[in-house]
Amino acid sequence: MPLNSDPNCIFCKIVAGQIPSTQVHRDESVMAFNDIRPLAPTHILVIPLEHVTFVNQTRAEDEKLIGHMVRVGGSVAQKAGIEKSGYRISINQGRDAGQELDHLHLHVLGGRPLGRSA
Amino acid sequence: MPLNSDPNCIFCKIVAGQIPSTQVHRDESVMAFNDIRPLAPTHILVIPLEHVTFVNQTRAEDEKLIGHMVRVGGSVAQKAGIEKSGYRISINQGRDAGQELDHLHLHVLGGRPLGRSA
């Protein structure tokens, strides 16, 4: 397993292949897979391979990784055929946003008109 | 005006101070200001000073800038007092997501329970 893995984290288990996922992208620092409870026709999660947690616990040296996650989000949206119709990339932090897992992840949503972002 | 400015872009005019804004953060590469049509009690926009456009038109060398935008989003959420209650960072791309301006920007939303991210 990669560095900074949390043995109790579902996303770390997905990274390690201990929990199956429908993977749509993987490179040296991030992976992307379909959300098992999709909120839209396309709903992909992008996560770092390492167990990075909250945005406000990241450091300046993580910026390239976070920016890469966003660009991979755009890339998988393109691959999914929703670049032209439009898509949303979102990161939920904490209770009011409905965050469920602390391993940093972004949602890529599209395939239908989305509501207002709040 | 900074490099890569678009004279017809509202956000470039905000960067240049030609259109007023309620600025909550500014550094050498990004700025953040309150959305004039807030969708939630806290609704802040984070933009690069340069006229970067769509996620899928950015290059690998923009990843640090994009990651910095996300981290500034977390920082302004903290300053706004919504870090503990929770917040959403979102980037809308294209029609289905309701994107209105092509200058890359992320929304920081919070201050009340937010809907599902789609």
Side-chain angles (χ1 to χ4, degrees), chain A residues 22-116:
Chain A
T22 306
Q23 192 172 293
V24 296
H25 173 91
R26 186 172 186 130
D27 61 34
E28 72 288 342
S29 60
V30 310
M31 69 176 285
F33 53 95
N34 291 329
D35 195 299
I36 55 168
R37 290 180 295 175
L39 297 173
T42 294
H43 187 171
I44 296 165
L45 299 176
V46 183
I47 65 171
L49 301 186
E50 287 204 270
H51 187 72
V52 177
T53 60
F54 296 93
V55 170
N56 282 341
Q57 289 180 8
T58 61
R59 300 153 304 171
E61 53 261 43
D62 297 319
E63 289 182 345
K64 187 164 172 21
L65 171 66
I66 297 167
H68 184 57
M69 289 171 64
V70 171
R71 288 186 73 246
V72 166
S75 168
V76 298
Q78 187 176 43
K79 277 192 225 167
I82 58 169
E83 185 186 19
K84 290 212 167 166
S85 50
Y87 61 96
R88 176 170 296 147
I89 291 174
S90 57
I91 302 173
N92 295 323
Q93 298 282 279
R95 184 193 65 228
D96 276 355
Q99 184 187 16
E100 291 177 349
L101 292 168
D102 76 344
H103 188 128
L104 186 65
H105 56 287
L106 59 80
H107 300 261
V108 180
L109 295 151
R112 64 164 168 79
L114 303 167
R116 306 298 294 270

Side-chain angles (χ1 to χ4, degrees), chain B residues 5 10 19 21 27-28 33-34 61 70-72 75 86-87 90 94-95 99 101 111 114-115:
Chain B
S5 175
I10 289 171
I19 293 176
S21 68
D27 61 33
E28 70 288 343
F33 53 94
N34 292 329
E61 54 261 44
V70 172
R71 290 185 71 246
V72 165
S75 168
Y87 61 96
S90 58
R95 183 192 66 226
Q99 184 187 14
L101 292 167
L114 302 168

